[in-house]
Amino acid sequence: MIGCLNCVNSSVCLACGDGYAVDTVNLNCTLCNNTLTGCVLCNSTTICTSCSSIYYLSSNACLSCQSISNCITCTSSTVCTSCNSDYYLDATFKCTTCTTISGCFTCLNSTACIGCVNGYYLNTTSLSCSRCSPNCA
C-alpha cells in the first residue's frame, strides 16, 4: 500500500509515512492534502501539523495566505513573509505597493527600487528609477 509503514495485511494499514494519514474508515493511507487542503504533514485525516508555504496552520487546518492582500507566503492571518513582485514587505508584515516610488515596478522597501517600468531605467547607485530620454529608441 502506498504510504503505509506498518500493515496487518495487504489492505489494512496501522501507520503511514510523512504526508499520509490512516483513513479510519478504509484503514489505508491517504495523502494529507486529499482531505486537508494545503496540508503536507498530518496526524489524521482531520488534523494537520504542517502546511505548504502558501498556507498557514490554524486550529489543525491550513488557511490561505491570500487573506492578506498581495501576500504569497505567511505564518499567520496577520504576518506575511513574502509579497507579489510589485509589492514589498513593510515593517508591519503587510504588503505595500512599489508604485510610491516613481517608475518602480519591483522594490525592496519604500525607498529602494530594483526594477523599473517601461520608459524608466534603474539607477543602481541610488536604487531609484529615472525616466528615459525622449530621444531614446
Side-chain angles (χ1 to χ4, degrees), residues 32 112 122:
C32 296
L122 181 64

Side-chain angles (χ1 to χ4, degrees), residues 64-129:
S64 176
C65 292
Q66 291 180 350
S67 62
I68 303 172
S69 185
N70 298 297
C71 184
I72 298 171
T73 60
C74 63
T75 56
S76 74
S77 64
T78 58
V79 178
C80 186
T81 54
S82 67
C83 304
N84 290 331
S85 64
D86 50 343
Y87 290 81
Y88 68 92
L89 192 61
D90 69 17
T92 64
F93 301 100
K94 302 282 188 262
C95 296
T96 302
T97 184
C98 292
T99 59
T100 56
I101 304 170
S102 180
C104 188
F105 177 72
T106 305
C107 59
L108 299 174
N109 55 44
S110 63
T111 60
C113 190
I114 56 172
C116 304
V117 297
N118 287 338
Y120 287 78
Y121 67 92
L122 181 64
N123 179 323
T124 56
T125 304
S126 65
L127 293 179
S128 63
C129 295

